[in-house]
Amino acid sequence: MSKKLATLPSGDTYRPSVNQYPPSLQPKALTKILTRVTLLLVAVYFMFPIYWLMVSATKSDNGLIDSNGFWFAPQTVDGRDAGGFHLVENYQGLMETAAAGGHYWRWVLNSVFYSTAAALLGVLISVMAGYALSKFKFRGSGVVQAAIMGGLLMPIALLSVPLYLLFFQLGLLNNPLAVIIPSAVSPFGVFLGRVYVEASVPNELLEAARIDGAGEFRIFFTMVLRLLAPAMVTIFLFIFVATWNNFLLPLIMFTEPSLKPVTVGLYGMLAYFDPDKGQVLLGALMAILPVIIMFTFLQRYWRSGLAAGSVKG
């Protein structure tokens, strides 16, 4: 029989360190070294583009061409002006350039609004659909689940033109709903919601609530949602990032510059004008800050949400 873990006064569960396990259960020295080297390489692989972006955002066009791509630009290179540390000038140019039209921070706020609205609506849709598919038996439920799984295989680019024609007929072009509504429907979110409901919501709890006279809506909104809080954070992050990175859908839905998200706005600066490339790189660097902040504050819930469906019972 397994030994029960002790509970600390703070409420946390005590877990023994690796060195307290029997020698047969401890990882080998070579395994530890290979694991750490692999994690270091993975960290460098993912962090290096951000480092390059931070360095490049401080350069002028001349500095991007003449200086070392992995370090800040000096003032001159072989007698040619390399611009030096050009961060302040890049920011001023980004705010004043005709390409941005003074809309850069409006673009960022648009992205925050579209992503947050789609994620909140998508979380509710996903957990409600997942709860229904997991706990209610109805005719055709297998077909519905198969259709949702098929939706996971459907590239979003294939749906962009049909969605454009649909929202054109509804008169919702140049309307935030044209991006929020399609982004809120996430087959992957419904799949995760169903998995988490099966792992975290016991049938006995639902039956006890029904015996006490609670209705289905009350059970869902007062009991089920609380049990699924970590899973909801996970689904929220997935939909938020997917909507933030979505490019093709807002590109065809919006023609008004003031409605564009930051991804489409920066693309327009490169495609239709000839701005300083450092300005665009600085805009891209600042555009990822909200996503980094979101992950930083929600990572604790996200980790627990990822583990919620890993075991049952």
Side-chain angles (χ1 to χ4, degrees), residues 13 36 78 80 83 146 154 164 174 180 186 207 220 233 239 259 263 265 271 285 288 297 299 310:
T13 302
R36 291 169 181 171
D78 296 333
R80 298 190 302 271
M154 182 71 68
Y164 172 82
N174 283 319
I180 294 174
S186 172
E207 293 172 0
F220 179 78
V233 173
I239 298 178
L259 292 175
T263 51
L285 176 62
I288 67 174
F297 283 98
Q299 62 178 341
S310 59

Side-chain angles (χ1 to χ4, degrees), residues 160-242:
S160 298
V161 173
L163 286 172
Y164 172 82
L165 297 176
L166 175 62
F167 282 96
F168 175 77
Q169 295 294 330
L170 294 174
L172 291 178
L173 296 184
N174 283 319
N175 189 310
L177 294 178
V179 170
I180 294 174
I181 293 176
S183 300
V185 181
S186 172
F188 186 62
V190 176
F191 171 75
L192 284 180
R194 181 175 65 84
V195 171
Y196 287 133
V197 168
E198 291 179 352
S200 304
V201 182
N203 292 328
E204 295 78 7
L205 181 65
L206 302 179
E207 293 172 0
R210 290 169 183 149
I211 292 175
D212 289 339
E216 295 299 334
F217 281 97
R218 182 179 179 184
I219 292 174
F220 179 78
F221 286 103
T222 61
M223 296 173 53
V224 175
L225 287 185
R226 295 183 180 181
L227 295 174
L228 297 180
M232 291 168 65
V233 173
T234 303
I235 298 171
F236 177 90
L237 286 173
F238 274 114
I239 298 178
F240 184 94
V241 173

Side-chain angles (χ1 to χ4, degrees), residues 246-262:
N246 197 343
F247 172 76
L248 185 58
L249 186 64
L251 177 66
I252 65 177
M253 292 296 184
F254 297 140
T255 58
E256 290 290 335
S258 61
L259 292 175
K260 294 178 180 180
V262 67

Side-chain angles (χ1 to χ4, degrees), residues 258-292:
S258 61
L259 292 175
K260 294 178 180 180
V262 67
T263 51
V264 178
L266 292 175
Y267 165 78
M269 290 181 64
L270 285 175
Y272 306 115
F273 297 89
D274 186 24
D276 191 315
K277 302 302 187 296
Q279 297 175 13
V280 180
L281 292 174
L282 177 61
L285 176 62
M286 294 191 297
I288 67 174
L289 293 179
V291 180
I292 295 175

